Amino acid sequence: MAYVAFADNDTHSHDPDTFISKYIWSQDHKVIAIQYGITAISAGIVALVLSLLFRLQLGFPDSFSLVQPNEYYQYVTMHGMIMVVYLLTALFLGGFGNYLIPLMCGARDMVFPYLNMLSFWFYLLSVIVLMASFFVPGGPTGAGWTLYPPQSISPGTPGVGGGIVLMILSLAIFIIAFTMGGLNYVTTVLQARARGMTLMRMPLAIWGIFVATILGLLAFPALLVAAIMMLLDRVIGTSFFMPEMLSMGDATEYGGGSPILFQHLFWFFGHPEVYIVALPAFGMVSDVLSVHARKNIFGYRMMVWAIVAIGALSFVVWAHHMYVSGMNPYFGFFFATTTLIIAVPTALKVYNWILTLWRGDIHLTVPMLFAIGFIFTFIHGGLTGLFLGNVTVDLPLSDTYFVIGHFHMVMGVSPVLVLFAAIYHWFPKITGRMFHTGLGKLHFWLTLLGAYSIYLPMHYLGILGLPRRYFAYGDTDFIPESANLMNAGITIAALLVAAAQCLFFINVIWSLMKGKKSGPNPWRAASLEWQTPDTPPKHGNWGEQLPEVHRWPYDYSVPGATQDFIPQTVPANSGDAPQNEQEVED
Amino acid sequence: MNISLLFVALGVALMVWCLLISQLQTKPWVSKGLVQEQGAVSLPAPRVGLWVFLAVITSLFGLFAVVYNMRAEFPDWRPLPDPNLLWFNTALLILGSIALQRARSVSEKPNLDGLKWSLTTGGLLTIGFLFGQLIAWRQLTGSGYAFTTNPADAFFYLLTGIHGLHLLGGLWFWARANLKVWGNVAMYSIEEVAHLRLSVQLCSVYWHYLLLIWLILFGLLLST
């Protein structure tokens, strides 16, 4: 009962009246979501272009001289950091979290709209600071996205001047932005749900975003601690992480610090980060699959349990990123075990997605194609994760292209496919227009097949022993000519996939102007966001009265109902709902 | 390290338990109608927001403490003499917390007289604490324990500094509440008074929590 008062609290109304308060300094969660989305995708495009530049070098080492070794490292670093933090985290939580939480929970807005606005502007600032590092003397840092000291702040590494400082500052600002947003997401889910929207009636998308936000709030401080301490090491010469060492033949001022300490902190953040990206993806893909298969999600309760279990376990697996840094065998054994345990709830989710499809009335719409594509790439990336989770298998494969193939499959391609599924799925609600289906399908097939032709060969390269992070391989005994050929093929596939993304942008722009009107609920979906009085939803989302929730969001193809879906707002005893359900089910 | 991690894990487990276990038993596909969950509590959103934020800073300081302990095991660690002034500062912060607790209990009465003085005293004592910490820093640098001399020194400045920054953030909200308290309270609407009460309440919670963190940090600094 209590949270209803807050969901409908109009005392802090912030109705926008001017262009600036409506679209720029906006406190409306939908506008903030779109601001987050545009900024994140723009940053993502920069990272994509960087990847093409270094892929050209890797595929055709003698033909192009677009990048020099220093730039190669800088581009690889920036590509990784932007994609993981500034694109995926920001788009899933800042973008979709902002857009979906109030609409799917039945709130008028986030509970702290002003803080929400600040969150976006801090995020934008962090992106600007990051991008500024391209323009400082020495350029951005080339330390690799993990920023391991001592190398990241020692002379000889590209960007050791301004680049690394700006990177650390930008991360710190990002964490502040995320904390402000995260406080909002968690509090809104806890306190601003509409009447009748119990926790166990929330769509899985909200569950995923909710748990991922909690992970972020608890894990980002680890990165902040690491960032502050490394900044002090770099700027004023403390020795938190820096060991006694020689640099260019001379002894440095540093002494006694522990680089491994940084690795622990980094991965204590870094592994939950994987699930900060994956859990919202899991949630959103569940909703898309259910809607387009016209079937309730299989094992809803198990799905919620799995999200929570994965979230909790993700804090006790971090050291599996550090098998090669030298550790007590029992320590490695512990982390290998927890890593394999986390595969259980994850596999459970995969089975449930497949069982949701089983005997469903599958509509192969564009979002559905992307969602099914995700199941393939995720199984693929997940299975190679089992290889790498075992210490003995990981040691020879560590730092090879097998690892690159694995993590791009599992946390590159898979979340991006879900992002596309989500964008195509909610595009009609966000804009009020349908996208072009043909273009969308072409985009899907090029992206899925292209992504496979990029990352599948990388597994072979990795098993050959091809190390990552090399600018060029030259004449090396164990690398056959065919490996170079494969590298060239990967680069061509990467160029094609990048070109295919133009289809997406063309589709978005064309649909915004010329797309046919979608109406409020083109997918005939049951969850709350499709029941708004206006499409796109106006400020305040729900018009005069907040919705009331009478059922869970997955009432599809209910036997005896007049339509094949029953919206969450339809009362139990209306004509649409089957009678006597309680008795049947119990 | 293990003990702090265990502590954090227990806290998280407890939270998850309270939040979820009762809910996760329900079968949403069966239950229809305007049901509410059992045990749903009535809390103002800012209060929930504050508690979530306290969880975040627990994680932050918890990790700092873990790293501190791990770094302290290295052979180059040279403990520094903790200035006696810290005891005095600690007393100031405890008094500040007590003053804010008093402000909170006064604010719950219909008559807000006396709120100004206890709220202002609480804030001023905290400002005193921060100045005391600055003086302690100067004493240390004066006797040759600079930021970069030894990791033990660096940690001292870092931990006290981060804790001080959190107090400064609290003082910002305290200052806003304090300005309102010194205004014409009699003219305030019911909503404004309720808002003021909530601000004072949240300030007191935040202060107690930061006091707790300081006591733990102080213990940590003394123990090595």
Side-chain angles (χ1 to χ4, degrees), chain A residues 162-380:
Chain A
I164 184 74
V165 175
L166 287 178
M167 167 66 86
I168 295 173
L169 278 180
S170 166
L171 284 172
I173 299 169
F174 181 90
I175 293 166
I176 294 169
F178 177 83
T179 306
M180 293 194 283
L183 286 178
N184 250 316
Y185 312 150
V186 171
T187 314
T188 305
V189 169
L190 288 178
Q191 295 292 304
R193 279 166 287 135
R195 221 163 107 79
M197 177 63 86
T198 56
L199 285 175
M200 287 306 275
R201 277 182 180 174
M202 294 197 303
L204 289 170
I206 299 300
W207 267 109
I209 291 168
F210 176 58
V211 176
T213 308
I214 294 176
L215 294 190
L217 287 173
L218 297 177
F220 269 114
L223 183 63
L224 187 63
V225 170
I228 292 171
M229 288 166 58
M230 192 151 80
L231 192 66
L232 292 174
D233 276 4
R234 164 69 184 75
V235 178
I236 62 171
T238 52
S239 294
F240 291 118
F241 302 132
M242 296 296 279
E244 194 171 351
M245 61 177 207
L246 298 176
S247 174
M248 314 274 177
D250 298 319
T252 59
E253 302 275 306
Y254 297 116
S258 162
I260 299 288
L261 202 55
F262 178 90
Q263 297 187 15
H264 279 297
L265 279 173
F266 184 86
W267 289 113
F268 189 77
F269 144 77
H271 198 81
E273 168 65 30
V274 173
Y275 291 98
I276 292 168
V277 172
L279 291 180
F282 292 171
M284 287 180 340
V285 87
S286 308
D287 282 6
V288 171
L289 286 170
S290 169
V291 171
H292 297 270
R294 316 307 298 161
K295 222 182 122 193
N296 61 10
I297 190 79
F298 189 91
Y300 174 86
R301 259 197 312 182
M302 281 300 136
M303 292 298 246
V304 175
W305 272 105
I307 287 177
V308 175
I310 292 171
L313 284 171
S314 73
F315 279 103
V316 287
V317 298
W318 79 89
H320 69 210
H321 297 272
M322 300 164 54
Y323 289 151
V324 290
S325 62
M327 59 172 74
N328 186 319
Y330 290 108
F331 203 58
F333 174 75
F334 172 80
F335 281 99
T337 310
T338 52
T339 304
L340 298 183
I341 288 174
I342 212 170
V344 175
T346 316
L348 197 147
K349 295 189 76 72
V350 172
Y351 293 133
N352 282 357
W353 290 322
I354 294 169
L355 287 168
T356 303
L357 293 175
W358 190 56
R359 292 195 160 189
D361 175 11
I362 296 174
H363 294 57
L364 287 178
T365 55
V366 179
M368 186 63 155
L369 286 173
F370 275 101
I372 296 174
F374 159 82
I375 299 181
F376 280 88
T377 58
F378 187 71
I379 291 177
H380 185 124

